[in-house]
């Protein structure tokens, strides 16, 4: 059996966001909105319960490790259950946690696409910085549909799926998309055939993405925004969801409509922005998701594949 543990289910900023007084953030702080705080975007996968693949390294990784005893199997004086890290993109909320793992005893195996590794070499030189600490053992991810196999998770076939989304604001590729700036991950348990598709940043449902959704048993997909103009409406930013590479849930062609087309799949939204009304468990938007059979990920959620 494969265990997927959601370490952080919020988008960049977390929930509540430190400087935000939107209805959700203010409400959860005051206790007037029924919602659960969430840390920033990351999941972990294991097949033996003590060796884990960390998928995205969030700025909240230290709190996430503390909240997840299985990530600290204590097999020696200095130890970690994190066998390797795999990145979906080079966004701050997905890579900054690497700095927090600098005490690792040997170079930390890191799997990321060539454009992501390039951003971490130049625009945000994490690799150079970490070379003065544990160092990173970088492995470029294939983008040709071939699967990656890791010794620590021997039964899993991990296939990167290139996605149309956005490179980070700091990247030279922000307005000049490169193949591999953003990926999703197909995870197949080769023993049972169980299949998962994880895509926390999904800007458009390209035909190959629809095929991934159809073929999966469980999908964990972009739950960032309810509405395309959510941030402008709240007066928080001029950016629409699509400007940031995220497909909103509501409206024609939105994520709810997309997921309605894959009726037998378990559907879970992840990477939820603090402004999203679905975080309020009493909201009509949350009820609408439930009516469509769509779940909302929370920190600590475990999925047995
Ligand atoms: C995004 O995916 O758009 C991010 O959460 C933005 C960020 O990290 O600030
Ligand atoms: Mn993000
Ligand atoms: Zn907020």
């Amino acid at each position: 059996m494969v265990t997927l543990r959601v370490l952080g289910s919020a988008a960049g900023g977390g929930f509540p966001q430190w400087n935000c007084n939107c209805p959700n953030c203010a409400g959860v702080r005051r206790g007037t909105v029924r919602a659960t705080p969430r840390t920033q975007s990351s999941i972990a996968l294991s097949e033996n319960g003590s060796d884990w693949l960390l998928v995205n390294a969030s700025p909240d990784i230290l709190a996430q490790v503390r909240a997840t005893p299985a990530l600290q199997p204590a097999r020696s004086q200095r130890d970690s259950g994190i066998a390797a890290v795999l990145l979906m993109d080079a966004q701050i909320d997905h890579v900054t946690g690497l700095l927090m793992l600098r005490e690792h005893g040997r170079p930390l195996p890191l799997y990321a696409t060539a454009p992501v590794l390039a951003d971490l070499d130049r625009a945000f030189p994490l690799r150079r910085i970490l070379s003065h600490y544990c160092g990173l053992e970088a492995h470029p991810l294939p983008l040709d549909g071939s699967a990656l196999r890791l010794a620590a998770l021997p039964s899993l076939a991990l296939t990167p799926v290139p996605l149309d989304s956005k490179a980070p604001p700091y990247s030279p590729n922000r307005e000049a998309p490169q193949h591999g700036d953003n990926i999703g991950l197909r995870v197949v348990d080769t023993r049972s055939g169980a299949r998962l598709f994880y895509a926390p940043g999904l800007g458009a449902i390209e035909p190959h993405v629809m095929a991934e959704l159809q073929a999966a048993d469980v999908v964990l997909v972009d739950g960032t925004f309810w509405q395309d103009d959510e941030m402008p409406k709240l007066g928080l930013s001029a950016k629409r969801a699509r400007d940031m590479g995220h497909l909103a849930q509501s409206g024609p062609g939105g994520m709810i409509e997309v997921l309605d087309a894959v009726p037998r799949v378990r559907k879970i939204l992840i990477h939820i922005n603090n402004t999203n009304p679905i975080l309020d468990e009493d909201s009509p938007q949350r009820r609408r998701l439930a009516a469509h059979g769509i779940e909302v990920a929370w920190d600590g959620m475990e999925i047995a594949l």
Side-chain angles (χ1 to χ4, degrees):
M1 201 190 60
V2 178
T3 302
L4 181 155
R5 171 124 177 164
V6 175
L7 302 182
S9 52
F15 174 56
Q17 181 174 308
W18 67 283
N19 63 346
C20 189
N21 293 299
C22 74
N24 279 344
C25 290
V28 77
R29 257 186 228 112
R30 283 198 217 106
T32 53
V33 164
R34 198 163 66 92
T36 308
R38 285 166 163 85
T39 62
Q40 294 168 84
S41 186
S42 176
I43 64 168
L45 294 164
S46 181
E47 55 176 281
N48 65 6
S50 49
D51 296 297
W52 295 81
L53 173 66
L54 184 68
V55 185
N56 299 320
S58 126
D60 299 318
I61 183 65
L62 299 184
Q64 293 168 345
V65 169
R66 279 181 212 119
T68 314
L71 284 176
Q72 182 41 275
R75 294 162 295 199
S76 58
Q77 184 92 308
R78 284 253 166 112
D79 186 32
S80 168
I82 300 171
V85 184
L86 190 153
L87 302 176
M88 295 292 103
D89 53 51
Q91 293 270 6
I92 299 264
D93 60 341
H94 285 162
V95 305
T96 319
L98 290 170
L99 292 169
M100 272 76 243
L101 301 177
R102 66 192 176 284
E103 296 93 353
H104 195 65
R106 53 190 183 283
L108 186 61
L110 178 73
Y111 295 82
T113 64
V116 167
L117 290 173
D119 274 347
L120 301 184
D121 259 336
R122 295 192 280 277
F124 184 9
L126 264 179
R127 293 173 70 186
R128 192 158 15 101
I129 294 170
L130 281 169
S131 71
H132 299 278
Y133 301 87
C134 62
L136 294 170
E137 179 194 291
H139 302 270
L141 283 173
L143 286 172
D144 59 359
S146 57
L148 172 77
R149 304 294 292 256
L150 298 178
L153 297 99
S155 307
L156 295 193
L158 305 159
T159 309
V161 178
L163 297 179
D164 183 347
S165 186
K166 282 275 189 172
Y170 73 79
S171 169
N173 303 338
R174 177 70 167 182
E175 301 306 333
Q178 305 287 308
H179 191 63
D181 277 337
N182 292 267
I183 58 167
L185 188 66
R186 179 201 309 156
V187 180
V188 177
D189 182 339
T190 56
R191 296 161 301 183
S192 65
R195 179 161 166 163
L196 166 98
F197 181 59
Y198 170 63
L202 195 46
I205 308 297
E206 304 160 90
H208 75 280
V209 174
M210 198 63 218
E212 288 298 330
L213 298 176
Q214 275 159 348
D217 299 295
V218 184
V219 299
L220 274 159
V221 289
D222 192 330
T224 314
F225 296 112
W226 177 255
Q227 273 174 283
D228 194 48
D229 59 354
E230 189 166 309
M231 301 280 271
K233 266 216 164 117
L234 287 164
L236 293 174
S237 159
K239 290 181 194 164
R240 292 168 308 165
R242 71 182 71 159
D243 300 327
M244 290 181 263
H246 299 296
L247 176 69
Q249 282 113 57
S250 61
M255 193 63 88
I256 296 176
E257 219 178 86
V258 169
L259 294 178
D260 275 346
V262 290
R264 32 149 234 100
V265 177
R266 182 172 178 196
K267 306 153 198 176
I268 306 169
L269 297 179
I270 197 159
H271 189 277
I272 301 145
N273 198 56
N274 58 78
T275 51
N276 192 329
I278 65 173
L279 288 170
D280 176 349
E281 287 166 37
D282 300 315
S283 65
Q285 292 88 349
R286 182 62 169 266
R287 277 195 294 281
R288 196 156 141 224
L289 289 185
H292 287 261
I294 301 171
E295 301 169 59
V296 179
W298 40 278
D299 294 15
M301 183 184 203
E302 278 196 2
I303 297 156
L305 197 61

